[in-house]
């Protein structure tokens, strides 16, 4: 069965520090993977997505993620965090032939000055 | 391109009352999703429409929740009667054809329900 795991419920980083949010998935074929961000009181916004090809994908707001098939991971990274990055981050998975999206439980990011 | 529109943004009701939320997806998007997001949790799929047909409503509490998507465009989610545990944000999302080959979910800003 398909599933997405985000091991870190909450992460705190200092402004300007680097960030890595973990996402592990379980799926029998090549997944389609997404990272979304949800700011307080807002809907979810797409940061980036992986369908195929280059395993390092660039997204908006300076984020990037790397698909590693051998580790079943799709970790999100940012080299220097800004205070405005404080939000909830969700990793999603879907299949090419499917129309269901599987959510991770989310990681809450706090940025301290 | 206009995004996914939802209304109302906020609603406060007492338990046992009824409430309805409206969603207008992005033009041309065949698939529409309603998610329930309880504070501190990830979104949970309530119902998924493909055009005006239901694809998945396995997690919809059908004794109190109902949803329809007339003409395959906008959709209404109703709760009657509401319970305290229905307090949540109700997110509507749409996608072009529901398949991962076309891309992502587009979310509205959500409708926040408080049941007193």
């Amino acid at each position: 069965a398909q599933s997405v795991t985000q091991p870190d419920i909450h992460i705190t980083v200092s402004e300007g520090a680097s960030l890595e949010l973990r996402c592990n998935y379980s799926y029998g074929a090549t997944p389609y993977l997404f990272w979304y961000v949800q700011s307080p009181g807002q809907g979810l916004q797409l940061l980036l997505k992986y369908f195929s090809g280059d395993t390092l994908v660039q997204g908006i707001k300076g984020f990037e993620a790397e698909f590693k098939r051998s580790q079943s991971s799709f970790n999100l990274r940012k080299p220097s965090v800004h205070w405005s990055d404080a939000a909830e981050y969700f990793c999603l998975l879907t299949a090419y032939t499917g129309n269901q999206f599987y959510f991770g439980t989310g990681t809450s990011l706090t940025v301290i000055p | 391109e206009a995004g996914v529109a939802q209304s109302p943004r906020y609603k406060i009701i007492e338990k046992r009352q009824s409430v309805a939320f409206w969603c207008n997806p992005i033009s041309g998007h065949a698939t529409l999703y309603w998610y329930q997001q309880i504070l501190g949790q990830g979104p949970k799929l309530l119902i998924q429409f493909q055009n005006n047909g239901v694809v998945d409503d396995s997690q919809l509490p059908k004794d109190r929740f109902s949803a329809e998507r007339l003409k395959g465009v906008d959709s209404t989610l109703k709760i009657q009667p509401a319970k305290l545990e229905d307090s949540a944000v109700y997110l509507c999302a749409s996608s072009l054809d529901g398949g991962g080959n076309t891309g992502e979910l587009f979310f509205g800003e959500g409708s926040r329900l408080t049941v007193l």
Side-chain angles (χ1 to χ4, degrees):
Chain A
Q2 299 91 329
S3 67
V4 178
T5 302
Q6 293 180 245
D8 305 303
I9 296 174
H10 186 250
I11 285 181
T12 300
V13 299
S14 298
E15 190 168 16
S18 63
L19 171 70
E20 182 169 29
L21 302 182
R22 296 184 291 165
C23 172
N24 297 103
Y25 68 89
S26 174
Y27 182 60
T30 299
Y32 290 1
L33 295 160
F34 309 82
W35 275 100
Y36 281 79
V37 61
Q38 185 178 33
S39 298
Q42 302 296 313
L44 282 76
Q45 180 186 22
L46 180 70
L47 285 176
L48 48 78
K49 58 188 177 185
Y50 171 77
F51 283 172
S52 63
D54 193 346
T55 56
L56 183 65
V57 294
Q58 303 296 323
I60 62 171
K61 303 184 181 185
F63 285 92
E64 66 177 26
E66 186 170 12
F67 173 65
K68 293 185 177 179
R69 184 189 302 275
S70 61
Q71 299 178 19
S72 298
S73 69
F74 188 57
N75 294 348
L76 182 71
R77 300 193 295 251
K78 187 170 184 178
S80 177
V81 170
H82 187 262
W83 64 266
S84 60
D85 293 325
E88 189 85 16
Y89 291 79
F90 293 95
C91 183
L92 274 69
L93 174 154
T94 190
Y96 177 85
T97 57
N99 52 14
Q100 277 192 308
F101 289 81
Y102 299 89
F103 279 80
T105 50
T107 297
S108 177
L109 175 65
T110 297
V111 181
I112 56 176
Chain B
E1 176 181 81
V4 177
Q6 289 189 248
S7 67
R9 287 295 311 276
Y10 305 93
K11 188 73 175 180
I12 300 175
I13 61 173
E14 295 189 349
K15 59 183 179 183
R16 291 188 289 274
Q17 287 187 324
S18 63
V19 63
F21 302 112
W22 173 82
C23 172
N24 191 33
I26 293 173
S27 178
H29 279 198
T31 306
L32 185 148
Y33 309 76
W34 282 103
Y35 290 90
Q36 180 192 58
Q37 186 177 24
I38 294 173
L39 186 65
Q41 299 181 18
K44 181 184 85 170
L45 180 68
L46 291 176
I47 190 167
Q48 177 181 337
F49 293 95
Q50 182 89 10
N51 297 308
N52 61 351
V54 175
V55 173
D56 184 354
D57 64 355
S58 58
Q59 298 194 84
L60 185 74
K62 298 180 184 64
D63 57 334
R64 298 183 299 106
F65 286 66
S66 65
E68 60 182 7
R69 189 183 185 196
L70 299 176
K71 300 180 182 178
V73 182
D74 56 351
S75 176
T76 301
L77 176 71
K78 296 179 180 177
I79 307 174
Q80 181 178 14
K83 292 185 175 181
L84 296 177
E85 59 260 37
D86 298 331
S87 294
V89 175
Y90 292 86
L91 294 167
C92 180
S94 69
S95 66
L96 189 57
D97 72 357
N101 58 322
T102 57
E104 70 268 27
L105 292 173
F106 293 83
F107 285 88
E109 292 189 314
S111 294
R112 181 177 297 276
L113 173 65
T114 301
V115 182
L116 303 176

